Amino acid sequence: MPPLLEVQNLQTHFGTLDGVVRAVEGVSFHIDAGETVAVVGESGCGKSVTAMSIMRLIQTPPGKIAGKILFQGRDLLELTEPEMQAIRGKDISMVFQEPMTSLNPVLTVGRQIGETVMLHEGLSAKDAEQRAIEMLTLVGIPAPARRVREYPHQLSGGMRQRVMIAMALACSPQLLVADEPTTALDVTIQAQILELMRDLKTRVGAAIMLITHDLGVVAEMAQRVVVMYAGRKVEEGSVEDIFLHPLHPYTRGLMGAMPKLGSSLTTTGRTKLTEIEGQVPSLRKPIIGCAFAGRCPEVTDVCRRMAPAIEEKAPAHWVACHYAARAMAAA
Amino acid sequence: MSTTTQPLLEVKGLKKHFPIHGGILGGRTGYVYAVDGISFSINRGETLSLVGESGCGKSTVGKAVLRLYPITAGEVRLDGNRIDNLSQSDLRPLRQRMQVVFQDPFSSLNPRQKLRDIIAEPIINFGLASGSELDDRVGDLLDRVRLPRDAMYRYPHEFSGGQRQRIAIARALAPGSDLIICDEAVSALDVSVKAQIVNLLSDLQDELGLTLLFISHDLAIVEHLTHRVAVMYLGKIVELADRTTLFGTPHHPYTRALLSAVPVPDPTVKRQRIILHGDVPSPINPPSGCRFHTRCPFVFDRCKVEEPVLRDVGLGRMSACHLDVVPDTVPNQPVVAEAAA
């Protein structure tokens, strides 16, 4: 069975006055039906641009998208805007980071949830409100019949993110793209939302593309992980592979730099976090060699001259590093 | 922690209420009880962290200590001397000793000033150096925060977020301050850069004997660099203990819920989580009795009417809960698998 979504050699560039910004540079991955795939990386690694490219929300120009984005076998990049509109919100929907800015402040939440079902399923306004109430019930908002007539400012941050999820799931999409869905929330509210997403996934059966920089969230939610750096995929594997046997020096660096709760109980005194020296390279200039070479503790001349190809080093575990074999032997 | 010497900073019964104006005439219609009676002290060379969720009042505490606005009630003492009632002119020399690093290094640095001028400003203001000595001082500070000396002739926009936070730290160190308040100083940074800044702060503390009030919502980061922790909820401290006591055996039900809510970056760890229901109540109209009673899994009648005081519940741990022993329904700490290394 072909995967639900297959991204092949995606390149998203932006023309700016200072030159071309190569935000995504040849990224390929797939998502199977019902699966949760996390895309992780730091600011500017291209994870959000990848999501926006899939949704065709990149303005072209200045943006320029190349490659293939196959959704159920159709290349989304070939579709006309009306054809894409029929897919957006119905087959693929998106949850954004900022529930404050992504909801319309002058429409009731019921109108906003109802809009998608009226558009895609041709429901009447009355039926749409009914559906909105059902969706609010599904995402665990108390007193949904009252809340449906309220405006976003009357809801708390956690409630607004529930509304966003209700909107995204109103047409039972097959793929939910969630871009940092809990980053703006407090930890106790984040725990509620993650619990909700896990629960809804088993009930609705949608695949989730989860974009986050929080490795804790990844470990709790995802089956597979794609690690991005400077617009490239540097490693991909099952969540166990990535967390327990990371092969790319960048992935290993991220794991070491991430503070872990409970650290004071296993060590005495204050512990040092592993640093990744230096800064992310500029995406305005073409990068010669490995994108991570400038910060890599194991860099050699080969790395600076030649970009490593992404290769399957173990079953379903892909890595782009000249020295992956050595890392595997050491693991 | 020994208390034989005088604490550098002492806060007693601190309250900060913000009036709310509304109605046609703009009259006062109520108060936001942002900080409602908290006490703590920090010893010289120590790090105390204030943790809690948005709106718990942790940043307000930091700003009140700095006297960025007048406080409603309570006392703030620096080296045993009250500073909460000083006039601005009497307070000014003391500002040399307390500095702050804010969350967003993009808005806290003047984009039109070169680094030299940014870092030199506090030195000039307090008349500590001038001429070539000033440049030497700025250079030394750049060394301290591991930035190249020639960076002083460049502008903030030429630097990344992590580097800018180093600049903000250099500015905070410039007047020779001994208390630095870090208000979510690493929260906006990426994981790898965050680690650099956290390590830098720890190093600086060791090198210079700095005292840190570290305000953060990131519990894992706090655990890495703090000595003691105060957990805040709706303007009150609910638990105050040293690091290993708080993270190892949290007492207050809110502390436990907060710790259990942090996602663990290890897919092999499966643990029971206390999911708190509902949202944090409004600080305009805080719940009666214990402020946490509306969300507490262990709530009983007394909690709704009587406010628990922050008291010693053993091992020097202060907790504001009516229960002496909080039922252990959940394992309170995830076991971090060794294999994750």
Side-chain angles (χ1 to χ4, degrees):
Chain A
M1 206 176 89
L4 178 69
L5 177 83
E6 194 169 1
V7 175
Q8 294 176 354
N9 197 24
L10 178 71
Q11 288 185 313
T12 307
H13 294 179
F14 295 92
T16 69
L17 291 176
D18 296 344
V20 177
V21 175
R22 295 164 174 80
V24 179
E25 188 77 341
V27 167
S28 305
F29 64 93
H30 73 276
I31 300 176
D32 287 324
E35 188 185 30
T36 299
V37 175
V39 179
V40 297
E42 300 177 275
S43 322
C45 74
K47 53 192 194 300
S48 289
V49 174
T50 302
M52 300 287 264
S53 304
I54 293 169
M55 298 300 288
R56 286 261 312 267
L57 292 173
I58 301 279
Q59 204 174 6
T60 50
K64 191 165 158 277
I65 309 177
K68 278 197 167 76
I69 299 173
L70 300 172
F71 179 71
Q72 298 176 321
R74 290 164 87 191
D75 189 350
L76 298 183
L77 296 178
E78 308 268 295
L79 300 184
T80 61
E81 186 52 33
E83 284 172 327
M84 192 61 212
Q85 273 174 13
I87 289 180
R88 230 185 259 132
K90 182 163 190 341
D91 298 313
I92 311 178
S93 56
M94 190 157 178
V95 175
F96 296 92
Q97 172 174 356
E98 275 288 335
M100 329 280 173
T101 51
S102 44
L103 290 171
N104 188 333
V106 297
L107 296 180
T108 62
V109 298
R111 265 290 289 285
Q112 296 185 58
I113 299 169
E115 190 184 0
T116 40
V117 286
M118 285 166 74
L119 191 71
H120 291 297
E121 297 179 12
L123 262 58
S124 68
K126 200 163 153 252
D127 292 344
E129 188 180 272
Q130 203 48 48
R131 173 74 71 86
I133 295 172
E134 284 167 28
M135 294 314 296
L136 290 181
T137 315
L138 184 72
V139 297
I141 288 186
R146 178 167 62 85
R147 291 293 189 184
V148 82
R149 304 237 165 120
E150 289 190 345
Y151 292 89
H153 76 267
Q154 291 167 288
L155 307 175
S156 65
M159 292 269 229
R160 283 181 208 155
Q161 201 56 295
R162 284 171 193 263
V163 169
M164 285 291 295
I165 293 171
M167 266 167 83
L169 296 180
C171 289
S172 311
Q174 313 205 32
L175 175 64
L176 178 69
V177 179
D179 188 359
E180 304 270 9
T182 58
T183 305
L185 306 174
D186 278 315
V187 278
T188 63
I189 308 298
Q190 167 172 284
Q192 292 175 1
I193 298 291
L194 294 181
E195 178 94 348
L196 172 73
M197 285 178 64
R198 268 195 298 266
D199 176 47
L200 289 178
K201 199 173 119 74
T202 53
R203 282 202 271 166
V204 182
I208 300 178
M209 175 177 166
L210 177 71
I211 295 162
T212 180
H213 67 278
D214 187 334
L215 294 169
V217 171
V218 174
E220 295 207 349
M221 300 292 291
Q223 278 118 45
R224 281 194 304 123
V225 185
V226 171
V227 183
M228 285 184 70
Y229 184 77
R232 292 150 174 83
K233 178 172 88 173
V234 295
E235 188 162 2
E236 179 190 331
S238 69
V239 70
E240 288 82 13
D241 284 342
I242 297 292
F243 280 84
L244 305 180
H245 314 289
L247 293 179
H248 198 282
Y250 176 64
T251 315
R252 288 206 299 274
L254 273 186
M255 296 293 165
M258 173 98 189
K260 290 162 195 76
L261 211 57
S263 61
S264 66
L265 309 175
T266 47
T267 49
T268 50
R270 286 196 290 189
T271 44
K272 275 284 175 81
L273 293 169
T274 318
E275 296 179 18
I276 304 178
E277 297 286 338
Q279 314 292 333
V280 180
S282 163
L283 301 176
R284 288 180 202 284
K285 286 173 256 171
I287 297 170
I288 299 158
C290 175
F292 191 56
R295 302 176 77 188
C296 185
E298 296 158 42
V299 64
T300 64
D301 277 347
V302 181
C303 307
R304 294 194 189 91
R305 279 202 314 271
M306 203 167 75
I310 184 131
E311 286 167 5
E312 192 170 12
K313 296 288 179 186
H317 190 170
W318 298 73
V319 62
C321 176
H322 291 304
Y323 297 102
R326 197 170 66 192
M328 280 183 76
Chain B
M1 203 52 60
S2 102
T3 47
T4 47
T5 51
Q6 185 151 54
L8 179 73
L9 180 77
E10 233 182 322
V11 172
K12 264 191 201 150
L14 178 71
K15 289 188 183 182
K16 177 64 195 173
H17 300 163
F18 294 97
I20 309 166
H21 298 277
I24 307 165
L25 300 173
R28 201 173 58 229
T29 53
Y31 286 99
V32 178
Y33 299 95
V35 175
D36 207 16
I38 74 163
S39 305
F40 62 86
S41 62
I42 315 179
N43 293 314
R44 208 171 273 283
E46 187 190 33
T47 303
L48 174 74
S49 297
L50 285 181
V51 302
E53 297 178 278
S54 331
C56 71
K58 56 191 190 301
S59 289
T60 308
V61 172
K63 288 177 184 160
V65 167
L66 286 165
R67 279 281 304 275
L68 293 183
Y69 32 54
I71 63 174
T72 309
E75 285 180 15
V76 179
R77 286 172 191 270
L78 190 69
D79 268 340
N81 305 314
R82 276 187 76 164
I83 59 165
D84 55 273
N85 52 5
L86 295 182
S87 66
Q88 286 296 337
S89 55
D90 288 340
L91 189 67
R92 201 176 142 74
L94 292 174
R95 293 214 180 279
Q96 197 182 325
R97 304 187 47 196
M98 335 182 263
Q99 291 287 317
V100 62
V101 178
F102 289 108
Q103 172 169 3
D104 182 7
F106 291 84
S107 57
S108 65
L109 300 174
N110 186 340
R112 290 184 182 79
Q113 279 187 322
K114 287 184 180 159
L115 254 57
R116 181 194 170 278
D117 301 318
I118 291 173
I119 298 171
E121 190 167 353
I123 303 175
I124 297 166
N125 281 352
F126 292 112
L128 301 173
S130 60
S132 63
E133 201 197 330
L134 185 64
D135 279 353
D136 286 347
R137 277 238 200 177
V138 173
D140 291 346
L141 286 161
L142 288 171
D143 288 345
R144 280 247 180 261
V145 297
R146 330 291 191 244
L147 282 176
R149 274 178 177 248
D150 58 14
M152 70 171 88
Y153 306 110
R154 289 156 66 186
Y155 289 95
H157 75 260
E158 298 174 60
F159 296 89
S160 67
Q163 290 170 321
R164 285 187 215 205
Q165 207 56 306
R166 290 173 192 266
I167 301 166
I169 293 169
R171 179 177 58 184
L173 296 174
S177 28
D178 37 19
L179 173 65
I180 305 240
I181 297 181
C182 299
D183 190 355
E184 299 279 11
V186 298
S187 305
L189 305 174
D190 272 317
V191 186
S192 69
V193 181
K194 197 182 278 195
Q196 295 173 2
I197 301 298
V198 166
N199 287 345
L200 175 68
L201 284 170
S202 300
D203 289 347
L204 288 174
Q205 181 163 48
D206 294 341
E207 290 164 24
L208 305 169
L210 292 176
T211 306
L212 297 176
L213 176 59
F214 193 81
I215 299 165
S216 178
H217 69 276
D218 188 335
L219 292 153
I221 283 285
V222 162
E223 187 176 6
H224 263 272
L225 56 68
T226 202
H227 297 109
R228 287 189 301 136
V229 191
V231 181
M232 287 187 69
Y233 186 77
L234 274 182
K236 297 267 187 191
I237 291 179
V238 296
E239 186 162 358
L240 179 72
D242 68 69
R243 181 178 68 154
T244 45
T245 311
L246 191 114
F247 285 98
T249 51
H251 179 266
H252 199 283
Y254 177 65
T255 313
R256 292 185 181 193
L258 201 59
L259 288 176
S260 87
V262 179
V264 181
D266 183 344
T268 59
V269 173
K270 294 280 174 266
R271 63 189 172 137
Q272 208 182 340
R273 167 167 289 164
I274 312 167
I275 298 271
L276 289 181
H277 295 285
D279 294 306
V280 181
S282 161
I284 296 170
N285 192 8
S288 63
C290 173
R291 293 186 174 194
F292 186 55
H293 88 251
T294 54
R295 302 173 80 199
C296 184
F298 307 111
V299 62
F300 58 104
D301 289 345
R302 189 177 162 199
C303 306
K304 295 173 187 166
V305 288
E306 188 188 330
E307 183 170 341
V309 291
L310 192 66
R311 64 200 172 99
D312 194 328
V313 290
L315 301 164
R317 172 218 303 280
M318 308 292 282
S319 176
C321 181
H322 289 308
L323 294 169
D324 289 322
V325 180
V326 178
D328 226 1
T329 51
V330 284
N332 46 31
Q333 190 63 42
V335 180
V336 178
E338 300 288 322

